[in-house]
Amino acid sequence: MNLKSFDIVIVGAGPAGGHCARILAKSGRTVLLAEQNDNFNKNDFSSAATPLETLSQFDLPESVIGSFWHKLTIETSKVTQTWESPESLGVVLNFAKFRAFLADEVERFGGEVWLGCRYTGHSQANGETAVEFKQLSDGQLIKVSTKVLVDATGFARAIMYDKENDKPNFLSGTGIEYLIEVEPEVYNKYANDLIFFLGDKWMPKGYSWIFPMEQNRLKVGAGRIFLDAKTVKHLSPLKQYIDLLIDEYLKSKNYKIIDKHGSTLKYSRGLQDIYWKDNIIAIGDTVSTVNFLGGEGIRHGMDGAEIAGKYIEKYLDGKISDFRDYETQMHRKFDGKWNISERLAVRKYIDDVNDELTDKMISYLKYMKTEDIMDILFYYKFEKISRGFGGYLWRKFQGLMQRLRKSF
Ligand SMILES: Cc1cc2nc3c(=O)[nH]c(=O)nc-3n(C[C@H](O)[C@H](O)[C@H](O)COP(=O)(O)OP(=O)(O)OC[C@H]3O[C@@H](n4cnc5c(N)ncnc54)[C@H](O)[C@@H]3O)c2cc1C
């Protein structure tokens, strides 16, 4: 039987898979983007906050924006700090509309998008790869053939690892978020503000957040990371901390829950993921492009997808015979900042920094300019912290970093 054949089959229509399919379809390759969910509202899991430049960097339209924000607030147990700008600093994307937009772009450029199709396996034959999907509506099995297969299945890493047991230990993160509709007076108070909660009072061993969305809607969520399931068994459920934010912080009496969603992140310490095997290449969270300190992964996944796109084109043109250089370039791009972020994340969320130190650190940051805070939170320029700290706290912070380096 002759299988339908593609240059590239990409499994997983998240930000990384969707963007990779979009750029390859645009450059004239035959592309299939396959996703297990049959519509994008089903796994609308991400809070999807991102700095403003994401829009121009990846050519995203206004229609995928949930809201703009021009304020950043950090709440600890005892301290509140806000930094703001007259201009917008970033957006909260409507994650469902954003991924649907990427899929529409793939079709606009001549690619195919198959929703409701779960990848179930692949086999190699005659220099090409046969990929098998199960259509979820009727259980039918579909096979296609491809020159390059892309694992963009996020934390599942469904292609890179055949069996769950083959996977190494990852750092895990779990986040739950409610999309709520609130009274206009509550919404107006928080409509332009990205608020993070770091102290034990709000979210021990993790962080929680309130992000603005479309008119009268807010995203309220809580997340934590852990090394193995045992370490979180004794902790209270995340839902309790979301209720706390709604009742005690927002003080909303008549809110309506529009949606409850959540997901998992699995991050490889030291970026030890498998980046490629034969003609298979992994992108996005499958190779830990999510930054584990802040949990931001959308634009980094898309960044990595662009790097992968270049190597896939070279491979298809016969200029390279494997994806070794892709792996090298990804390490060059991510290793430095990701390794520091990872150590800080482990220290803050797992080893649990003393709550008072968190209060102190945040209160010293108040002297910093908004652009410096953006650089630290979104561009991981931790060296800028020295400017905001007094001598004592800066020495303490350096001591902490030294201890972390030794323990790694
Ligand atoms: C609660 C939470 C809040 C977050 N908030 C933010 C934020 O504010 N800003 C930000 O930048 N990042 C945020 N992130 C991280 C960000 O959402 C992820 O890093 C990003 O979505 C990763 O993109 P991806 O394309 O690699 O993977 P994913 O978005 O996970 O996409 C993978 C896709 O593969 C599909 N798939 C999996 N297995 C199969 C299979 N066998 N067959 C077919 N399809 C399959 C899945 O259904 C999914 O659609 C958050 C994450 C969580 C969990």
Side-chain angles (χ1 to χ4, degrees), residues 255-324:
Y255 67 92
K256 195 166 95 194
I257 297 175
I258 308 292
D259 189 32
K260 287 183 184 180
H261 45 247
S263 188
T264 301
L265 295 171
K266 287 198 182 289
Y267 177 91
S268 163
R269 292 186 86 173
L271 299 178
Q272 301 289 319
D273 285 297
I274 303 171
Y275 286 77
W276 61 280
K277 261 194 247 180
D278 307 318
N279 60 339
I280 308 173
I281 179 166
I283 60 173
D285 279 4
T286 304
V287 286
S288 305
T289 48
V290 62
N291 182 282
F292 227 62
L293 184 59
E296 201 205 340
I298 292 174
R299 92 197 134 107
H300 308 310
M302 294 172 86
D303 238 343
E306 288 195 359
I307 297 174
K310 284 190 202 126
Y311 285 97
I312 291 171
E313 300 245 36
K314 283 190 193 174
Y315 182 89
L316 290 171
D317 292 340
K319 292 183 183 151
I320 53 171
S321 56
D322 62 36
F323 291 109
R324 202 175 300 265

Side-chain angles (χ1 to χ4, degrees), residues 37 83 91 112 136 144 197 204 216 228 236 281 296 299-300 337 357 360 377:
N37 288 291
W83 297 266
V91 294
E112 292 193 29
L136 296 184
V144 298
F197 298 83
N216 295 339
D228 61 71
S236 309
I281 179 166
E296 201 205 340
R299 92 197 134 107
H300 308 310
K337 287 181 174 168
L357 186 60
K360 274 191 188 151
L377 292 184

Side-chain angles (χ1 to χ4, degrees), residues 11-18 34-37 40 43 45-50 92 95 99 117-120 133 152-159 173-177 207 209 211 222-223 261-265 283-286 289-291 294-301:
V11 183
E35 163 62 42
Q36 61 187 357
N37 288 291
F40 289 106
N43 63 338
F45 68 86
S46 183
S47 316
T50 191
V92 178
F95 195 58
R99 288 169 303 146
C117 268
R118 175 172 294 149
Y119 161 88
T120 51
F133 295 100
T153 59
F155 74 90
R157 295 169 170 84
I159 303 176
T174 303
I176 296 182
E177 186 178 75
Y207 69 96
W209 61 90
F211 293 171
H261 45 247
S263 188
T264 301
L265 295 171
I283 60 173
D285 279 4
T286 304
T289 48
V290 62
N291 182 282
E296 201 205 340
I298 292 174
R299 92 197 134 107
H300 308 310

